[in-house]
Amino acid sequence: DIQMTQSPSSLSASVGDRVTISCRASQSIGSFLHWYQQKPGKAPKLLIYAASSLESGVPSRFSGSRSGTDYTLTIGSLQPEDFATYYCQQTYSTLYTFGPGTEVDIK
Amino acid sequence: EVQLVESGGGLVKPGGSLRLSCAASGFTFSTYTMNWVRQAPGKGLEWVASISYIDNFIHYADSVKGRFTVSRDNAKNSLSLQMKSLRAEDTAVYYCASLGFGFDYWGMGTLVTVSS
């Protein structure tokens, strides 16, 4: 099975900060990597698909990139509504594993 | 408007069974691979099962294999998850989600609590 790791597990940031979250796959998954945002009590929301494509309706301050088996979600300028937990997920294999999540809270 | 609405959650004793349903509307359900994802209280997301749109490919997480069965009825735009031999660790909110480019649509979830 493909394992997904994320770092950090949590971070504190201020409005306006640039935030980066990392995700690593245990083996090559190409661009089959997606990012989700989840707020408490809500369903996850797709932000980035195929490593770097912005889902329709998602603000352009969110971006994704890939280097080998390392993936990065960047929030260009953190907004109050961005405080949430972020998950990566691979759909390369048919066991669609999620990363453990990164909680972004207010400094 | 795309909608996925889960139902069937509730309180069940360990060893018991429960059947979850997901009603889909607003998109061509029959052409999408559908999934169940769960989230235990205070924990992260765990993919549970998927069923391809042509029903030929079904996959399960190791944690539920042999106990859960996923099925779909394309005529009724419906997805189901039959859960048997439930354990305390199956307690979670269960979401259905469609696979487009990533899991692009999600329901609001239904809570399953396994407790005596």
Side-chain angles (χ1 to χ4, degrees):
Chain A
D1 297 0
I2 298 174
Q3 308 301 318
M4 307 301 295
T5 57
Q6 283 183 241
S7 61
S9 57
S10 65
L11 65 91
S12 296
S14 300
V15 172
D17 284 353
R18 180 181 178 87
V19 169
T20 60
I21 298 169
S22 298
C23 175
R24 175 172 290 177
S26 61
Q27 65 186 74
S28 178
I29 58 170
S31 292
F32 290 87
L33 187 283
H34 320 292
W35 290 97
Y36 302 86
Q37 177 193 66
Q38 187 181 32
K39 297 180 180 179
K42 301 293 187 182
K45 173 186 174 183
L46 179 65
L47 298 176
I48 301 286
Y49 63 90
S52 59
S53 296
L54 193 66
E55 175 72 346
S56 176
V58 174
S60 60
R61 62 181 179 273
F62 291 94
S63 63
S65 63
R66 171 197 172 191
S67 176
T69 58
D70 292 331
Y71 301 82
T72 302
L73 173 70
T74 300
I75 308 174
S77 176
L78 197 67
Q79 298 300 301
E81 60 268 30
D82 300 337
F83 293 97
T85 300
Y86 294 84
Y87 296 92
C88 62
Q89 180 208 27
Q90 66 80 23
T91 56
Y92 177 83
S93 83
T94 49
L95 305 185
Y96 301 141
T97 41
F98 289 90
T102 295
E103 184 178 4
V104 177
D105 63 20
I106 301 172
K107 183 184 288 184
Chain B
E1 179 195 6
V2 171
Q3 276 200 315
L4 294 171
V5 180
E6 302 92 341
S7 61
L11 176 63
V12 61
K13 290 182 169 53
S17 299
L18 207 58
R19 186 179 183 89
L20 305 183
S21 297
C22 171
S25 60
F27 67 108
T28 310
F29 177 80
S30 61
T31 63
Y32 279 77
T33 290
M34 295 298 297
N35 300 268
W36 288 99
V37 176
R38 70 183 181 183
Q39 187 169 37
K43 302 297 184 183
L45 301 171
E46 179 187 16
W47 170 81
V48 171
S50 70
I51 181 168
S52 71
Y53 64 93
I54 56 173
D55 228 10
N56 288 342
F57 298 102
I58 291 175
H59 302 277
Y60 299 98
D62 289 345
S63 57
V64 306
K65 197 175 296 183
R67 300 187 299 123
F68 289 13
T69 302
V70 62
S71 61
R72 66 190 297 162
D73 184 338
N74 288 335
K76 296 183 177 179
N77 288 348
S78 176
L79 175 72
S80 296
L81 185 68
Q82 177 68 51
M83 304 185 294
K84 299 180 179 180
S85 302
L86 283 162
R87 307 165 180 166
E89 55 264 37
D90 295 318
T91 294
V93 173
Y94 285 73
Y95 297 99
C96 63
S98 60
L99 173 62
F101 294 112
F103 284 17
D104 45 6
Y105 297 113
W106 296 69
M108 292 306 298
T110 188
L111 176 63
V112 172
T113 302
V114 184
S115 174
S116 55

